């Protein structure tokens, strides 16, 4: 690479502009923006672009000459500068498809894991409800319902929560009522004429 550019190439602005006007409207070409010295003595003259959507890009015209010949245009194009906005690197379709499928598989696995966690939480919630019901039953009891060892206290005659003594008292009351009914029936069966025989005037 030559460090000293050919003065004739640096002065070829009119030639470079004419080459640009053949590929783009003149309104899209802005003022000069420096130059770059390439290998083999080639000089790339740069011009700002007014094209919308191309910030940081430059119209670039590469010029050169052989010996004492006239300057010649080698190439004219729009090239990005250091601060230009560039498109992402191209990725083959097969690679993009593989990445997409891997992402979908990961999402499906995550969704399946979330469903299992929800089922587990529901099961834990049901167990908690059963425990709460048991605690409510215990809250309804007091100290008088338990023995000294902590076991449920069965009162005398209790079988499965039924007070046998109370049943016996009910049975005795029913028996007493039956006896009273029998006595009333016997009193009703007495003949009203009995006992009047002694005072019957016909027997005299």
């Amino acid at each position: 690479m030559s460090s000293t550019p050919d003065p004739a190439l640096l002065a070829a602005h009119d030639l470079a502009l004419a080459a640009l006007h053949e590929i783009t409207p003149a309104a899209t070409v802005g003022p000069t923006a420096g130059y770059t010295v390439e290998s083999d003595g080639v000089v790339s003259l740069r011009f700002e672009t007014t094209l919308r959507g191309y910030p940081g890009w430059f119209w670039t015209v590469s010029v050169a000459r052989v010996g004492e010949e006239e300057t010649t245009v080698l190439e004219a194009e729009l090239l990005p500068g250091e601060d230009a906005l560039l498109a992402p690197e191209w990725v083959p379709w097969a690679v993009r498809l593989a990445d997409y499928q891997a992402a979908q598989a990961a999402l499906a696995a995550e969704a399946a894991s979330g469903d299992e966690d929800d089922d587990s939480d529901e099961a834990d919630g049901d167990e908690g409800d059963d425990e709460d019901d048991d605690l409510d039953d215990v809250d309804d009891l007091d100290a008088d319902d338990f023995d000294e060892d902590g076991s449920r206290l069965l009162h005398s005659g209790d079988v499965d929560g039924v007070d046998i003594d109370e049943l016996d008292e009910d049975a005795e009351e029913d028996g007493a009522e039956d006896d009273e009914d029998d006595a009333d029936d016997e009193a009703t069966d007495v003949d009203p004429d009995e006992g009047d025989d002694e005072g019957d005037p016909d027997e005299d």
Side-chain angles (χ1 to χ4, degrees), residues 13 32-36 44-47:
H13 287 88
T32 58
Y35 65 90
T36 303
S44 294
L45 302 177
R46 297 192 304 179
F47 300 85

Side-chain angles (χ1 to χ4, degrees), residues 121-178:
D121 293 340
E122 290 178 0
D124 294 341
D126 294 340
E127 293 178 358
D129 293 340
D130 294 339
E131 293 177 357
D132 292 340
D133 294 339
D134 294 339
L135 292 175
D136 291 338
D137 294 339
V138 173
D139 291 340
D140 294 337
L141 302 175
D142 53 27
D144 296 335
D145 295 319
F146 294 90
D147 204 347
E148 295 179 355
D149 60 355
S151 61
R152 180 71 182 273
L153 179 63
L154 296 178
H155 298 285
S156 60
D158 285 359
V159 176
D160 291 338
V162 178
D163 191 349
I164 296 178
D165 294 339
E166 183 177 351
L167 294 177
D168 291 340
E169 292 176 359
D170 292 341
E172 291 177 358
E173 291 177 359
D174 293 340
E177 291 177 357
D178 292 340

